Amino acid sequence: MKHYSFLLALIILLILQCKQVQSQENSKYDQHAVFNSNLINFSESSIRSAGGIPGEKYWQNKTDYEIAVKLDTLSQTISGRETVTYTNNSSDNLSYLWFELGQNLFMEGSRGSSIGNIPTENCGFKLKSVKVISEQSTVDAQYIITDTRMQIRLDQPVQALGGKIQVKIEYSFIISDKQFRTGRVTSPKGTLYDVAQWYPRLCVYDDLRGWNTLPYLGNGEFYCEYGDFNYEITVPWDLIVVGSGELVNPDKVLTKTEILRLKKAGTSDKTVFIISPEEVANPSTRPVNTGTLTWQFKMKNSRDVAWAASKAYVWDAARINLPNEKTALAMSAYPLESIGDTAWSRSTEYLKQSVEHFSSKWYMYPYPIALNIAGSVDGMEYPGLSFCDWKVNTSHVMYLITAHEIGHNWFPMIVGSDERRFPFMDEGFNTFIDVYAQDAFNNGEFGPKRDGEFDPNGKNPARDLAPYLISPEAQNIMNLADVQGEQTHTLSYYKAALGLVIAREYILGPDRFDYAFREYIKKWTFKHPSPNDFFRLMNNAAGEDLNWFWNEWYYQTWTLDQGITEIKYVDNDPVHGAKITLCNLQQMAMPVKLKIKEKNGLEQVIKLPVEIWQNGSNFQYNYKSTSEIESVIIDPDLELPDVNDKNNRWPNESKQQSIN
């Protein structure tokens, strides 16, 4: 009898092993690829620490600009000069400098125009002169231009550890009605000018790659050095100019009435007109009625500046209430055709509340002004300023564009990442903070966030991403913006943001995540973090090694398929407990959330850590049941992008599983 019992036990064991082997053969999961100890594992340096923060010897260079240009509204030309003072804080002597010439994207034969549908009517920058100014002399620069980049070859290198040099450039370019991120459009009361990439700008020289000279091809955005800007814009007398930073000569370009209205707006939570709809294009709104006016602005510790001009603007403003009883000013400029509560009339309200939300939740807004400007650009961000489409006439679209574009002041304006190389670090992070801002605005007036940036299908963000994950065209998030191409929104906005939502809501919890995320912003304010800096800081501040997650979500194109294989009662009696076998059939791993309902009415949600997958694709969970199990559901709240819902429930509709 003992022999028969032993034989029976052996047969049962073999059957169980065969089932397990078969299940593993059907799985594409390899735990060694997920839990690899060498992921995101770099040695500490004195420049960037192992904890993901700037090290004791962290450095970055500084660029200060003095710019003066004139807008000719007849020839549609912007011309002028800049003097840039460059401080070399690196440990390298620099024998040459690299500048980015953004307007050259729109030059005939540019790389961007060769590979994409880039208009070339404006012909790029025309350089009248380029001079190098040192302590010893001022000389004509030796320079070459390659597409959107200019190299200046120096007679004497810029010395390391604080050496300075000045470069003076006289230049001009045409601003056309066919550009993007900058351009012009005609309204009935006058042309609207949105002006960006409007001066030759030094490229970033950093400790990771030296000179960052990826060409500007159109899709990839910008990587900029920080510095102080003083700039002046000369325009015909009847144009209003708004720009990044603070207007420093209001007494020269505004009327006494407008100055008083601005002061009133600075103390008002309600929107105040600086130029009302009835006053648009009225000569009485100008301090002079002939010639030109020069508008002077300054902005400290910024990576860029932009500006806009028109005589067609309605101009309004309101106070922004910041932490610690500080304030800033929200302003909007838009034409008469953009008026309406579904359009631009609520722009300053949206702007004000967005800045207040981001400031209270993440990091205080550092600039005196936040601007939203209607024009030809359909949505683009610059420090302290956003360009948005003047034709927007839907409330939720107007809100999401305003919130998203001003949200970019946190990423990448405050936290100065490389947008062109790692677009997810600005678009994805910004979309992530937008998710919570949209829920908070006006008691959820426009929430939850479901739009072209985050879940365009509008149903469930995690599940709606699944079809993309299994498509042959799926890319990983780490690809360059110009490689991502048409998938940029899906990858760098949607998937990147959803990854942070999952890390916050499903893996870490809001308290741990929010603390770590704030630490990241604080430690890298006005600095240049890399992806690894972010991942390592989050790991350290949250106290959790999430390299498995950062790798599978941001570096790979893996998919997730969790399932329930079978349920067995201990000794065939539910009172003694149940063994619930779970499987992981694709390469991505995640913690597991189970909703278990028993026939006696007991219902529980069980959370199992990701470590259950460290030993293979199957895991048996010992559940302390008290009666027969009625149902089990994996991921009951649909928080994960599981590509196969059919095996997420027990009993399974496609395969009824019996309990023995």
Side-chain angles (χ1 to χ4, degrees):
M1 187 67 180
K2 291 182 180 180
H3 294 291
Y4 288 116
S5 298
F6 173 77
L7 185 60
L8 180 61
L10 182 61
I11 292 171
I12 292 173
L13 179 61
L14 289 171
I15 291 172
L16 290 174
Q17 288 178 337
C18 286
K19 284 186 177 181
Q20 184 174 7
V21 169
Q22 184 178 14
S23 175
Q24 289 175 344
E25 286 177 350
N26 293 334
S27 173
K28 297 180 181 179
Y29 178 70
D30 176 9
Q31 68 269 30
H32 305 98
V34 175
F35 300 102
N36 184 334
S37 61
N38 291 319
L39 295 173
I40 315 177
N41 185 21
F42 298 91
S43 59
E44 180 176 16
S45 75
S46 58
I47 298 175
R48 295 173 189 261
S49 81
I53 64 177
E56 180 185 5
K57 295 184 179 180
Y58 177 84
W59 60 268
Q60 62 190 47
N61 293 341
K62 188 171 188 282
T63 52
D64 298 322
Y65 293 87
E66 301 277 343
I67 311 173
V69 297
K70 180 178 181 180
L71 170 62
D72 186 329
T73 57
L74 296 178
S75 64
Q76 307 297 350
T77 300
I78 292 173
S79 60
R81 66 187 183 279
E82 70 170 357
T83 301
V84 54
T85 302
Y86 186 62
T87 305
N88 175 24
N89 294 315
S90 78
S91 59
D92 304 323
N93 295 330
L94 301 179
S95 57
Y96 51 86
L97 306 175
W98 279 103
F99 281 73
E100 176 161 297
L101 307 179
Q103 288 294 324
N104 283 12
L105 172 66
F106 307 103
M107 180 176 62
E108 187 70 35
S110 71
R111 293 190 189 185
S113 68
S114 298
I115 65 176
N117 187 24
I118 306 294
T120 56
E121 284 84 353
N122 81 329
C123 305
F125 279 119
K126 294 189 180 302
L127 304 185
K128 183 177 180 181
S129 72
V130 181
K131 295 184 181 295
V132 175
I133 305 170
S134 64
E135 293 181 357
Q136 294 79 24
S137 62
T138 298
V139 299
D140 290 333
Q142 302 177 51
Y143 67 90
I144 62 165
I145 294 176
T146 305
D147 193 50
T148 57
R149 296 150 300 171
M150 175 175 70
Q151 184 189 52
I152 296 179
R153 297 166 178 173
L154 304 172
D155 293 333
Q156 297 293 327
V158 188
Q159 295 299 304
L161 305 177
K164 294 180 183 290
I165 195 170
Q166 286 188 320
V167 177
K168 183 176 181 180
I169 303 175
E170 294 185 57
Y171 65 96
S172 64
F173 66 94
I174 297 169
I175 184 164
S176 81
D177 58 359
K178 295 181 175 62
Q179 295 170 269
F180 56 88
R181 295 199 180 100
T182 185
R184 61 181 169 86
V185 65
T186 302
S187 77
K189 289 286 186 178
T191 300
L192 310 171
Y193 295 92
D194 293 345
V195 186
Q197 292 85 61
W198 59 288
Y199 59 94
R201 176 173 51 77
L202 267 155
C203 298
V204 173
Y205 185 84
D206 63 23
D207 62 292
L208 298 174
R209 293 178 179 83
W211 286 106
N212 286 262
T213 57
L214 282 177
Y216 179 35
L217 301 177
N219 196 35
E221 293 181 332
F222 309 104
Y223 185 28
C224 309
E225 204 62 272
Y226 288 97
D228 298 333
F229 289 80
N230 291 288
Y231 67 101
E232 57 183 52
I233 314 297
T234 299
V235 296
W237 65 269
D238 54 352
L239 268 64
I240 301 294
V241 179
V242 288
S244 299
E246 181 181 358
L247 177 66
V248 297
N249 65 334
D251 57 318
K252 297 292 196 301
V253 295
L254 300 178
T255 66
K256 292 181 179 179
T257 298
E258 289 157 358
I259 292 172
L260 289 173
R261 288 174 179 176
L262 276 171
K263 289 182 179 179
K264 179 181 178 181
T267 62
S268 174
D269 286 325
K270 294 187 179 297
T271 301
V272 174
F273 283 118
I274 313 305
I275 296 177
S276 70
E278 295 75 23
E279 296 171 322
V280 170
N282 190 321
S284 66
T285 65
R286 306 286 68 242
V288 298
N289 293 154
T290 186
T292 61
L293 288 171
T294 297
W295 298 63
Q296 298 175 340
F297 298 86
K298 69 176 180 180
M299 195 171 196
K300 291 187 175 296
N301 214 5
S302 180
R303 50 178 258 156
D304 196 5
V305 289
W307 55 277
S310 182
K311 63 181 179 182
Y313 286 146
V314 176
W315 183 7
D316 64 33
R319 177 180 63 191
I320 299 171
N321 300 299
L322 299 173
N324 303 321
E325 298 184 348
K326 294 186 176 182
T327 62
L329 193 65
M331 300 196 303
S332 298
Y334 49 93
L336 290 170
E337 295 72 30
S338 300
I339 290 175
D341 283 344
T342 61
W344 277 80
S345 294
R346 294 183 68 186
S347 168
T348 295
E349 175 194 355
Y350 299 155
L351 192 65
K352 164 186 165 64
Q353 293 202 29
S354 296
V355 173
E356 289 175 350
H357 173 85
F358 296 139
S359 295
S360 63
K361 189 165 183 64
W362 303 115
Y363 187 89
M364 187 165 68
Y365 186 71
Y367 302 124
I369 303 293
L371 265 167
N372 204 20
I373 304 166
S376 64
V377 179
D378 60 3
M380 188 61 202
E381 69 280 357
Y382 299 94
L385 177 156
S386 303
F387 293 149
C388 296
D389 189 351
W390 71 307
K391 293 183 179 179
V392 173
N393 193 22
T394 306
S395 295
H396 78 275
V397 174
M398 187 68 215
Y399 169 81
L400 79 89
I401 293 177
T402 302
H404 180 82
E405 301 306 341
I406 202 63
H408 272 299
N409 275 273
W410 282 260
F411 310 101
M413 310 308 171
I414 295 173
V415 181
S417 62
D418 182 347
E419 300 177 84
R420 193 164 298 167
R421 194 176 297 275
F422 303 114
F424 81 96
M425 293 185 75
D426 76 291
E427 298 297 356
F429 289 15
N430 184 24
T431 300
F432 166 74
I433 64 174
D434 289 344
V435 169
Y436 299 96
Q438 196 152 325
D439 285 341
F441 176 77
N442 200 18
N443 298 314
E445 179 180 353
F446 301 118
K449 184 174 176 62
R450 302 288 186 271
D451 49 52
E453 298 165 352
F454 190 75
D455 190 16
N457 288 341
K459 297 176 182 177
N460 177 280
R463 289 299 199 264
D464 288 346
L465 183 64
Y468 172 78
L469 298 180
I470 63 175
S471 70
E473 293 78 21
Q475 298 185 37
N476 75 64
I477 290 174
M478 288 296 171
N479 282 347
L480 299 176
D482 292 295
V483 173
Q484 291 181 13
E486 294 181 355
Q487 297 184 33
T488 299
H489 270 75
T490 303
L491 286 166
S492 294
Y493 293 68
Y494 182 8
K495 185 182 178 185
L498 180 61
L500 297 185
V501 171
I502 290 172
R504 183 181 193 265
E505 307 295 342
Y506 195 83
I507 299 173
L508 290 175
D511 181 79
R512 294 170 71 194
F513 181 94
D514 290 356
Y515 174 78
F517 200 60
R518 292 187 193 107
E519 280 290 296
Y520 167 68
I521 299 172
K522 181 170 65 175
K523 297 297 186 184
W524 288 99
T525 291
F526 305 132
K527 296 181 175 67
H528 298 313
S530 71
N532 288 330
D533 294 319
F534 171 72
F535 298 144
R536 294 159 81 174
L537 189 150
M538 293 296 291
N539 289 354
N540 280 267
E544 196 76 40
D545 187 342
L546 296 177
N547 286 351
W548 60 270
F549 175 70
W550 306 129
N551 177 58
E552 70 182 14
W553 195 267
Y554 292 92
Y555 286 90
Q556 309 297 336
T557 58
W558 297 345
T559 58
L560 177 72
D561 182 8
Q562 298 176 339
I564 304 167
T565 302
E566 64 179 4
I567 299 175
K568 289 181 175 292
Y569 295 130
V570 177
D571 299 331
N572 293 326
D573 187 345
V575 175
H576 294 161
K579 296 181 179 181
I580 304 174
T581 301
L582 309 174
C583 60
N584 200 60
L585 300 179
Q586 294 293 331
Q587 187 54 64
M588 186 183 290
M590 284 284 183
V592 172
K593 187 182 290 187
L594 294 174
K595 183 177 181 180
I596 303 174
K597 185 176 182 180
E598 298 185 33
K599 289 189 176 179
N600 63 6
L602 180 65
E603 191 172 296
Q604 297 187 65
V605 175
I606 306 295
K607 297 180 180 179
L608 302 175
V610 72
E611 286 82 4
I612 68 173
W613 304 118
Q614 286 186 338
N615 293 312
S617 61
N618 290 282
F619 178 77
Q620 188 178 85
Y621 171 59
N622 296 319
Y623 172 67
K624 295 179 180 179
S625 57
T626 59
S627 68
E628 289 187 40
I629 294 175
E630 183 175 308
S631 64
V632 181
I633 305 173
I634 282 185
D635 187 21
D637 299 320
L638 306 180
E639 298 173 87
L640 301 177
D642 196 305
V643 298
N644 177 21
D645 281 335
K646 292 181 179 179
N647 57 7
N648 285 14
R649 292 175 173 269
W650 185 94
N652 190 309
E653 293 179 3
S654 63
K655 181 181 178 183
Q656 291 294 331
Q657 297 152 308
S658 61
I659 295 182
N660 296 321

